[in-house]
Amino acid sequence: MRRLVTWKHAPALQGVLLAALAFAGGVLLLVAHGYVRWTAHGWSAPLGLRAVPIAVMCAGMLFRRTAPMAGLAISTAGNVAEVVLGPSIGGAIIYTDAVYAAALYGPRRAERWLLGATGGASVAVAVAVGLLAEAFGPAVVTGAVAGTTWLTPVLTAMIVREHRDRAESERERAAQVARLAEMDRLAAVTAERARMARELHDVVANHLSAVALHSTALLRVPDLDPDGLRRAMEVIRENSVQGLGEMRRMIGLLREDEAEPSAAPRLAELDRLVGQVARPDLTARLEVVGEPYAPPSAVELAAYRIVQESLTNALKHGGPGEAEVRLTYGTSLVGVEVTSPLGGASEVPGAGAGLIGMRERATLLGGGFEAGPSGGRWRVRAELPVDGGGTR
């Protein structure tokens, strides 16, 4: 299978192409006499000899990405040789790239070392030329050229490197923000699915359980008297209507175009809920302790649902007797306690989701919940704080 070599994945190929282009450009500038002639002793280096330092510096370019410090060392040797023969424009440009590559791609500590070395070398060369020429002008020009060739590439590389590091940091931060946003989204979806599961279970289980129990009673007692038949049918109808109403309320909450969904159930309606517990061998009564007030909506809904689910469990699983519901209005919490007779196996199946849902409701509000047998009865107890300490 043939492999395609791309520019992005071939730094060595880049170095070869850049070195070849740099050598061709350097030789072209030499041919155009773009170099300095040292004529103090009446001798000027030939073009062939001047091309050798250019070739050495171009050889250093081969390592500008893979081993930038080694490439700088090679290019420095060629630059020193060229200065001895007479510096050229092409050589200055090539050596500038070597310094830039070492500062950009080399170790972090190398850029600080290069900054001091090139700055000091530029000043030293300017002072030396000034002393030798005994004039200020040549010193300034030489210092400017040396600074442009040596110091400016280091400063440029430091700026580029800083921008690259900042861009990389921003990319990492953006990726982290995206991950956190995705985690928040998943958490929100999970929490909403759990909330919908609790609501659906409480609504459907309560009303459909009542319908199932009373319809079973009707099927088992074919010679039921007309009054009993009428009461059972009324209970079935009322639970069906209420179930549909609460389902519409939930659908209204889920639909954005529903301007005014049906009101959520309130604690003031508990007496009607308790009155619906109609089984031939089971009754229920409500006791309210304290002065009633309107708690936060989340607390009110949780208390209502806990009572509703507890009574549903009593209908399905409780024995004969009386279920007692106690609603306590405290200064800092609303207390719910439901006790019912213990019973045997139920013909209406259950998966234990009701207890899980009740516990979740209390926990989300920062309250407490416990359920289990107590003194020969089944007791459900919840304390729901009203001071906003839980999730709303």
Side-chain angles (χ1 to χ4, degrees), residues 53 179 190 204 250 306 312 316 324 380:
R179 288 193 295 269
T190 302
V204 174
M250 291 193 62
I306 290 174
T312 300
K316 292 193 298 184
E324 300 176 357
V380 174

Side-chain angles (χ1 to χ4, degrees), residues 14 37 42 62 68 76 80 106 138 158 164 170 191 200-201 214 252 262 297 312 314 318 341 356 367:
Q14 295 180 35
R37 297 180 179 85
L62 298 174
T76 300
V80 171
M158 292 177 67
R164 286 185 176 182
E170 291 297 326
L200 285 172
H201 175 272
H214 286 82
S262 303
S297 58
T312 300
I356 296 174

Side-chain angles (χ1 to χ4, degrees), residues 203-216:
V203 170
V204 174
N206 178 267
H207 297 294
L208 291 188
S209 295
V211 171
L213 287 169
H214 286 82
S215 59
T216 300

Side-chain angles (χ1 to χ4, degrees), residues 17-47:
L17 294 177
L18 289 175
L21 291 174
F23 182 75
V27 172
L28 183 62
L29 288 172
L30 289 177
V31 173
H33 303 286
Y35 55 88
V36 176
R37 297 180 179 85
W38 302 128
T39 58
H41 302 287
W43 180 80
S44 179
L47 292 181

